[in-house]
Amino acid sequence: MLQIKHFSLRFSLYGKGLEQRDLEVISSLDVDIKAGELVSIIGSSGSGKSLLAHAVLGILPANAHLSGELYYQGQALTKKALEKLRGREIALIPQSVTYLDPTMKVGKQVMGVRHDAADVEAVFRRYKLPASVMDKYPFELSGGMARRILVSAAVIAGAKLIIADEPTPGLSETLAKEALAHLRELADMGCGVMLITHDITLALEVSDRISIFYSGLTLETALRRDFEDGGRSLRHPYTRALWKALPQNDFSPLPGFQPYAGTVTEQCAFFPRCTMATEECLHPIPMRDLRDGKVRCIHAA
Ligand code: SF4
């Protein structure tokens, strides 16, 4: 349904006077999502993963420059194609409920121009929202209700590809699990779902596959079951370190810090923190297929 190959993204910025420089935020990213599949993109804050969502939706600012290939159902995601697909076949469940218009009642916002009140009520019933919510403004909603409104808007649009950008921060554990259960349900109904999150524990509960994002690169794409045997099936040292750092596992943090994408040199991005590093790692490392997944590490076996 969605295929992203060798995707990179940089922004042109102005410094003093007319001095211009480029800031690279994604240097090489590969992801694919099939119908009926939920794929999580895991990365820490500032790793550029939300920009990926905006790139797929074509809502990046004018100073953004993309390269690489993006396809939806085999069709190149050009600006023109995105104008037709965005908000219809491809929908965003945004990070913040501030995406809702604060001056408009939520019923009208969810309804859009192609549906009526009966359609909205039917979707609201599915997400346990009373019909009276239609007459409320966003500020009158609880956090959980607002999340369900955002999911309702994607469902009523009839979206086939849903991009959920950090849908759980600020929610209680119960509400976060409920929000992710809704995404899982959409995948089970045949949608392709991209879940962008920093919460690996929650993502593991609902995902079919997990892509690990680091300094603007995908380092590994793993199956959910790869996390279930003590992390031994994971392919990349960083993914194994993430697994070990979870409270339910060793709870041992990984020393060092993640460099900004624009500062990564020609060597493997994980080189400074990697206990397996050798001289061969002092070169750009391509992504390769390995055991039903993908990895960007020459020593992965
Ligand atoms: S390529 Fe080398 S430095 Fe990079 S993750 Fe693999 S072993 Fe570590």
Side-chain angles (χ1 to χ4, degrees):
M1 181 169 276
L2 178 72
Q3 207 174 15
I4 301 174
K5 289 186 196 171
H6 315 305
F7 176 75
S8 71
L9 171 64
R10 64 188 165 82
F11 290 99
S12 299
L13 303 174
Y14 283 95
K16 278 186 191 159
L18 289 177
E19 181 199 334
Q20 192 179 345
R21 65 186 178 93
D22 280 353
L23 177 69
E24 188 172 55
V25 287
I26 297 178
S27 46
S28 184
L29 189 137
D30 300 81
V31 180
D32 65 283
I33 300 176
K34 301 177 186 72
E37 195 180 36
L38 192 157
V39 177
S40 289
I41 312 291
I42 305 277
S44 55
S45 300
S47 61
K49 57 192 188 306
S50 288
L51 291 168
L52 169 66
H54 291 192
V56 173
L57 286 149
I59 52 173
L60 287 166
N63 63 335
H65 307 282
L66 328 177
S67 65
E69 298 166 56
L70 278 83
Y71 297 99
Y72 169 72
Q73 312 250 48
Q75 172 191 7
L77 275 180
T78 58
K79 203 173 162 197
K80 203 169 168 196
L82 272 165
E83 276 165 18
K84 283 192 191 149
L85 295 167
R86 189 171 49 232
R88 294 181 171 87
E89 292 204 23
I90 305 179
L92 173 72
I93 297 179
Q95 203 173 93
S96 163
V97 292
T98 54
Y99 272 71
L100 291 170
D101 182 341
T103 63
M104 194 192 278
K105 289 179 178 174
V106 292
K108 269 219 150 118
Q109 296 193 52
V110 173
M111 202 181 303
V113 289
R114 292 175 296 137
H115 297 278
D116 58 25
D119 296 334
V120 178
E121 277 184 40
V123 177
F124 276 13
R125 267 197 301 279
R126 187 164 141 196
Y127 292 106
K128 298 190 180 75
L129 290 162
S132 57
V133 170
M134 288 183 56
D135 284 324
K136 293 197 183 295
Y137 289 95
F139 74 88
E140 296 179 282
L141 305 173
S142 68
M145 267 184 172
R147 289 281 160 202
R148 280 180 266 155
I149 295 285
L150 294 172
V151 174
S152 301
V155 168
I156 207 162
K160 292 184 181 147
L161 175 65
I162 294 179
I163 299 171
D165 185 11
E166 291 277 15
T168 57
L171 298 185
S172 67
E173 192 182 340
T174 310
L175 287 177
K177 285 189 173 179
E178 181 191 276
L180 294 191
H182 289 147
L183 296 179
R184 181 67 253 174
E185 187 190 37
L186 291 170
D188 291 341
M189 285 162 51
C191 296
V193 181
M194 179 195 283
L195 167 62
I196 294 175
T197 180
H198 65 280
D199 192 330
I200 195 165
T201 306
L202 280 176
L204 282 171
E205 291 190 17
V206 293
S207 305
D208 297 298
R209 290 185 294 134
I210 312 260
S211 264
I212 305 293
F213 205 37
Y214 182 90
S215 296
L217 299 157
T218 22
L219 294 188
E220 174 166 0
T221 299
L223 306 175
R224 178 169 43 172
R225 66 164 188 257
D226 296 331
F227 290 81
E228 290 170 357
D229 63 351
R232 282 182 292 279
S233 295
L234 295 171
R235 298 155 190 80
H236 198 282
Y238 177 61
T239 322
R240 284 197 292 276
L242 278 185
W243 186 91
K244 277 190 181 170
L246 295 175
Q248 64 270 36
N249 300 329
D250 292 359
F251 210 7
S252 51
L254 171 68
F257 60 91
Q258 185 175 149
Y260 285 113
T263 63
V264 171
T265 55
E266 289 290 282
Q267 66 191 25
C268 168
F270 193 57
F271 186 92
R273 306 171 82 183
C274 185
T275 53
M276 292 166 51
T278 62
E279 268 193 24
E280 290 89 359
C281 310
L282 292 167
H283 302 283
I285 312 292
M287 200 75 169
R288 64 185 166 99
D289 293 336
L290 182 67
R291 291 187 276 109
D292 296 332
K294 288 180 185 292
V295 70
R296 194 185 295 276
C297 170
I298 49 171
H299 294 308

